[in-house]
mmCIF file of all heavy atoms in Angstrom:
data_model
loop_
_atom_site.group_PDB
_atom_site.id
_atom_site.type_symbol
_atom_site.label_atom_id
_atom_site.label_comp_id
_atom_site.label_asym_id
_atom_site.label_seq_id
_atom_site.Cartn_x
_atom_site.Cartn_y
_atom_site.Cartn_z
ATOM 1 N N PHE A 30 -3.556 6.678 2.826
ATOM 2 C CA PHE A 30 -3.961 6.986 4.248
ATOM 3 C C PHE A 30 -4.174 8.462 4.476
ATOM 4 O O PHE A 30 -4.206 8.995 5.461
ATOM 5 C CB PHE A 30 -2.964 6.340 5.232
ATOM 6 C CG PHE A 30 -2.871 4.968 5.140
ATOM 7 C CD1 PHE A 30 -1.952 4.286 4.369
ATOM 8 C CD2 PHE A 30 -3.726 4.198 5.908
ATOM 9 C CE1 PHE A 30 -1.825 2.961 4.263
ATOM 10 C CE2 PHE A 30 -3.613 2.741 5.819
ATOM 11 C CZ PHE A 30 -2.713 2.121 4.979
ATOM 12 N N TYR A 306 0.721 -2.512 9.924
ATOM 13 C CA TYR A 306 -0.105 -1.914 8.864
ATOM 14 C C TYR A 306 -1.015 -2.988 8.325
ATOM 15 O O TYR A 306 -0.859 -4.149 8.674
ATOM 16 C CB TYR A 306 0.849 -1.250 7.847
ATOM 17 C CG TYR A 306 1.938 -2.187 7.291
ATOM 18 C CD1 TYR A 306 1.610 -3.064 6.145
ATOM 19 C CD2 TYR A 306 3.157 -2.224 7.850
ATOM 20 C CE1 TYR A 306 2.532 -3.885 5.754
ATOM 21 C CE2 TYR A 306 4.152 -3.056 7.370
ATOM 22 C CZ TYR A 306 3.840 -3.928 6.217
ATOM 23 O OH TYR A 306 4.850 -4.759 5.881
ATOM 24 N N PRO A 307 -1.979 -2.622 7.423
ATOM 25 C CA PRO A 307 -2.956 -3.580 6.906
ATOM 26 C C PRO A 307 -2.180 -4.871 6.386
ATOM 27 O O PRO A 307 -1.266 -4.748 5.603
ATOM 28 C CB PRO A 307 -3.675 -2.738 5.794
ATOM 29 C CG PRO A 307 -3.725 -1.366 6.369
ATOM 30 C CD PRO A 307 -2.280 -1.253 6.971
ATOM 31 N N GLY A 308 -2.887 -5.893 6.731
ATOM 32 C CA GLY A 308 -2.226 -7.204 6.471
ATOM 33 C C GLY A 308 -1.653 -8.015 7.704
ATOM 34 O O GLY A 308 -1.454 -9.228 7.686
ATOM 35 N N PHE A 311 -3.099 -9.752 14.102
ATOM 36 C CA PHE A 311 -3.072 -9.551 15.525
ATOM 37 C C PHE A 311 -3.070 -10.922 16.249
ATOM 38 O O PHE A 311 -3.843 -11.710 15.999
ATOM 39 C CB PHE A 311 -4.123 -8.634 15.962
ATOM 40 C CG PHE A 311 -3.887 -7.179 15.447
ATOM 41 C CD1 PHE A 311 -4.330 -6.829 14.244
ATOM 42 C CD2 PHE A 311 -3.321 -6.285 16.293
ATOM 43 C CE1 PHE A 311 -4.063 -5.459 13.853
ATOM 44 C CE2 PHE A 311 -3.087 -4.965 15.956
ATOM 45 C CZ PHE A 311 -3.394 -4.596 14.690
ATOM 46 N N LEU A 328 0.346 5.697 12.821
ATOM 47 C CA LEU A 328 -0.727 5.352 13.818
ATOM 48 C C LEU A 328 -2.052 5.088 13.077
ATOM 49 O O LEU A 328 -2.739 4.154 13.535
ATOM 50 C CB LEU A 328 -0.858 6.492 14.752
ATOM 51 C CG LEU A 328 0.420 6.926 15.403
ATOM 52 C CD1 LEU A 328 0.191 8.060 16.397
ATOM 53 C CD2 LEU A 328 1.005 5.748 16.199
ATOM 54 N N ILE A 329 -2.447 5.823 12.047
ATOM 55 C CA ILE A 329 -3.651 5.537 11.296
ATOM 56 C C ILE A 329 -3.447 4.143 10.558
ATOM 57 O O ILE A 329 -4.434 3.451 10.384
ATOM 58 C CB ILE A 329 -4.043 6.723 10.412
ATOM 59 C CG1 ILE A 329 -5.473 6.494 9.852
ATOM 60 C CG2 ILE A 329 -2.995 6.885 9.191
ATOM 61 C CD1 ILE A 329 -5.934 7.649 8.997
ATOM 62 N N MET A 330 -2.218 3.920 10.146
ATOM 63 C CA MET A 330 -1.961 2.604 9.485
ATOM 64 C C MET A 330 -2.235 1.440 10.428
ATOM 65 O O MET A 330 -2.871 0.397 10.067
ATOM 66 C CB MET A 330 -0.570 2.527 8.919
ATOM 67 C CG MET A 330 -0.289 3.527 7.849
ATOM 68 S SD MET A 330 1.434 3.645 7.433
ATOM 69 C CE MET A 330 1.398 5.013 6.271
ATOM 70 N N LEU A 331 -1.808 1.691 11.779
ATOM 71 C CA LEU A 331 -2.016 0.541 12.723
ATOM 72 C C LEU A 331 -3.539 0.402 12.920
ATOM 73 O O LEU A 331 -4.040 -0.727 13.017
ATOM 74 C CB LEU A 331 -1.397 0.906 14.076
ATOM 75 C CG LEU A 331 -1.359 -0.067 15.256
ATOM 76 C CD1 LEU A 331 -0.194 0.021 16.178
ATOM 77 C CD2 LEU A 331 -2.627 0.071 15.984
ATOM 78 N N VAL A 332 -4.286 1.458 13.095
ATOM 79 C CA VAL A 332 -5.737 1.408 13.256
ATOM 80 C C VAL A 332 -6.337 0.655 12.103
ATOM 81 O O VAL A 332 -7.219 -0.157 12.201
ATOM 82 C CB VAL A 332 -6.265 2.757 13.485
ATOM 83 C CG1 VAL A 332 -7.823 2.766 13.436
ATOM 84 C CG2 VAL A 332 -5.836 3.386 14.717
ATOM 85 N N SER A 333 -5.845 1.007 10.847
ATOM 86 C CA SER A 333 -6.502 0.315 9.674
ATOM 87 C C SER A 333 -6.144 -1.114 9.657
ATOM 88 O O SER A 333 -6.978 -1.949 9.125
ATOM 89 C CB SER A 333 -5.793 1.061 8.465
ATOM 90 O OG SER A 333 -6.292 2.349 8.345
ATOM 91 N N ALA A 334 -5.031 -1.412 10.181
ATOM 92 C CA ALA A 334 -4.691 -2.953 10.229
ATOM 93 C C ALA A 334 -5.731 -3.756 11.115
ATOM 94 O O ALA A 334 -6.150 -4.784 10.910
ATOM 95 C CB ALA A 334 -3.242 -3.103 10.753
ATOM 96 N N PHE A 335 -6.114 -2.990 12.290
ATOM 97 C CA PHE A 335 -7.014 -3.686 13.218
ATOM 98 C C PHE A 335 -8.433 -3.598 12.806
ATOM 99 O O PHE A 335 -9.246 -4.506 12.846
ATOM 100 C CB PHE A 335 -6.837 -2.914 14.563
ATOM 101 C CG PHE A 335 -7.687 -3.683 15.680
ATOM 102 C CD1 PHE A 335 -7.239 -4.959 16.163
ATOM 103 C CD2 PHE A 335 -8.777 -3.164 16.156
ATOM 104 C CE1 PHE A 335 -8.033 -5.547 17.117
ATOM 105 C CE2 PHE A 335 -9.608 -3.774 17.207
ATOM 106 C CZ PHE A 335 -9.051 -4.991 17.687
ATOM 107 N N ALA A 336 -8.899 -2.428 12.378
ATOM 108 C CA ALA A 336 -10.312 -2.149 12.018
ATOM 109 C C ALA A 336 -10.648 -2.591 10.620
ATOM 110 O O ALA A 336 -11.892 -2.754 10.275
ATOM 111 C CB ALA A 336 -10.711 -0.872 12.354
ATOM 112 N N GLY A 337 -9.678 -2.616 9.700
ATOM 113 C CA GLY A 337 -9.934 -2.752 8.261
ATOM 114 C C GLY A 337 -9.723 -1.442 7.590
ATOM 115 O O GLY A 337 -10.183 -0.388 8.171
ATOM 116 N N TYR A 338 -9.024 -1.528 6.420
ATOM 117 C CA TYR A 338 -8.727 -0.171 5.775
ATOM 118 C C TYR A 338 -9.954 0.615 5.436
ATOM 119 O O TYR A 338 -10.132 1.820 5.775
ATOM 120 C CB TYR A 338 -7.842 -0.506 4.601
ATOM 121 C CG TYR A 338 -7.714 0.723 3.702
ATOM 122 C CD1 TYR A 338 -6.735 1.758 4.168
ATOM 123 C CD2 TYR A 338 -8.462 0.973 2.538
ATOM 124 C CE1 TYR A 338 -6.634 2.874 3.377
ATOM 125 C CE2 TYR A 338 -8.149 2.057 1.748
ATOM 126 C CZ TYR A 338 -7.390 3.062 2.189
ATOM 127 O OH TYR A 338 -7.187 4.250 1.352
ATOM 128 N N GLU A 339 -10.875 -0.017 4.731
ATOM 129 C CA GLU A 339 -12.092 0.725 4.264
ATOM 130 C C GLU A 339 -12.920 1.281 5.465
ATOM 131 O O GLU A 339 -13.413 2.492 5.454
ATOM 132 C CB GLU A 339 -12.943 -0.249 3.350
ATOM 133 C CG GLU A 339 -12.339 -0.549 2.131
ATOM 134 C CD GLU A 339 -12.126 0.577 1.067
ATOM 135 O OE1 GLU A 339 -12.745 1.601 1.373
ATOM 136 O OE2 GLU A 339 -11.321 0.478 0.194
ATOM 137 N N THR A 341 -11.917 1.973 8.465
ATOM 138 C CA THR A 341 -11.261 3.024 9.102
ATOM 139 C C THR A 341 -11.271 4.388 8.433
ATOM 140 O O THR A 341 -11.650 5.347 8.911
ATOM 141 C CB THR A 341 -9.727 2.756 9.274
ATOM 142 O OG1 THR A 341 -9.579 1.463 10.030
ATOM 143 C CG2 THR A 341 -8.977 3.870 9.925
ATOM 144 N N MET A 342 -11.129 4.298 7.084
ATOM 145 C CA MET A 342 -11.097 5.644 6.288
ATOM 146 C C MET A 342 -12.540 6.081 6.272
ATOM 147 O O MET A 342 -12.722 7.357 6.276
ATOM 148 C CB MET A 342 -10.506 5.341 4.937
ATOM 149 C CG MET A 342 -8.995 4.849 4.911
ATOM 150 S SD MET A 342 -7.894 5.822 5.937
ATOM 151 C CE MET A 342 -7.865 7.409 5.097
#
Side-chain angles (χ1 to χ4, degrees):
F30 298 90
Y306 52 86
F311 286 84
L328 305 180
I329 193 174
M330 293 172 191
L331 184 153
V332 172
S333 297
F335 185 73
Y338 171 75
E339 294 294 343
T341 298
M342 301 310 292

